Amino acid sequence: TLLSVFDLYYAMILSGVKSAIMFASYKDAYRIRHELTLLYDLLPPHKRTLLTSSNREAMRFSNASEIYFLYTSNRGDAKGMAGRGNSFNYLHASEVAFFKSWEDFYAIQSALSDTFPYRLYLYESTANGYNEFYELWETAKRNPVMKAIFIGWWSKDENRLPKTDEFVDFFIPLNPQERAWVKKIKAYYGVELS
């Protein structure tokens, strides 16, 4: 949801942003499009950039910004067609490690601007083994114009159990391998798991 807020903000605050939000499935694209519409409707009227059209493919704003909703396909004749014939200067690729078609992933890369002064490309995902997202992650760690940012599930307080008497039976001491991981996480991310 936080990135959905940012997707909407970016399109409304800057003129001429041609955004693509890319998903692993049509179902995800539909869900986020609905979420963006709800977020837009919740904004006070004086904070909105006028929405001139909205359909299942895109949202268009009066400042010439657009948000397109794309998804990967595992149908043979549709692979590699995501974003075809378009160019984008903002991309939010969601759950990249679960994309059904890497041809679509590569196709969208060729549609991205390298001249728009406010271009921004975000790739986020839960890990899913060694695939293209893993390669992208490793590249981002080494590349001076990319940034790999890891946000662990433990960073949200609601994903933690308090160490109270009622939960004490659920806490199992860490084994040596788990203790080593806790130390690595602390050293690498500055987060202490409790």
Side-chain angles (χ1 to χ4, degrees):
T1 302
L2 184 59
L3 278 178
S4 294
V5 170
F6 187 75
D7 296 335
L8 187 59
Y9 169 80
Y10 210 76
M12 291 193 314
I13 202 74
L14 295 170
S15 296
V17 172
K18 195 159 181 193
S19 305
I21 308 176
M22 190 170 189
F23 305 93
S25 71
Y26 176 77
K27 183 180 84 174
D28 294 333
Y30 176 82
R31 181 180 52 80
I32 295 299
R33 190 188 103 36
H34 181 70
E35 185 176 281
L36 282 178
T37 302
L38 289 175
L39 288 169
Y40 180 84
D41 290 343
L42 289 171
L43 287 170
H46 68 281
K47 295 285 186 182
R48 296 180 194 164
T49 299
L50 181 65
L51 185 62
T52 57
S53 80
S54 180
N55 57 46
R56 68 186 185 129
E57 293 178 4
M59 296 172 78
R60 291 175 180 82
F61 299 91
S62 61
N63 66 353
S65 290
E66 302 171 323
I67 300 174
Y68 287 84
F69 303 97
L70 309 175
Y71 58 95
T72 61
S73 177
N74 56 3
R75 286 191 356 243
D77 61 341
K79 287 183 180 181
M81 301 297 280
R84 188 176 190 98
N86 283 305
S87 60
F88 301 101
N89 49 41
Y90 177 93
L91 172 67
H92 170 194
S94 182
E95 290 296 354
V96 176
F98 297 88
F99 280 8
K100 293 178 181 142
S101 163
W102 294 112
E103 291 93 337
D104 286 329
F105 176 78
Y106 295 128
I108 200 73
Q109 303 308 305
S110 65
L112 300 178
S113 171
D114 40 353
T115 58
F116 186 72
Y118 304 109
R119 63 191 176 276
L120 181 62
Y121 309 121
L122 305 168
Y123 304 87
E124 48 92 355
S125 190
T126 307
N128 189 26
Y130 297 99
N131 58 22
E132 278 78 352
F133 182 71
Y134 172 81
E135 295 300 325
L136 185 65
W137 174 261
E138 291 300 311
T139 299
K141 290 189 331 189
R142 296 184 306 270
N143 192 317
V145 297
M146 297 172 80
K147 181 71 175 167
I149 301 170
F150 179 78
I151 303 171
W153 58 267
W154 59 81
S155 64
K156 293 178 78 176
D157 287 338
E158 58 263 20
N159 291 335
R160 295 173 176 239
L161 289 175
K163 286 190 177 180
T164 61
D165 290 339
E166 79 181 272
F167 291 115
V168 76
D169 293 336
F170 293 102
F171 291 96
I172 301 167
L174 300 176
N175 66 35
Q177 183 182 11
E178 290 168 331
R179 282 194 298 275
W181 275 109
V182 167
K183 283 182 183 177
K184 284 183 180 181
I185 289 168
K186 173 75 172 161
Y188 195 74
Y189 301 109
V191 174
E192 187 165 345
L193 298 181
S194 56

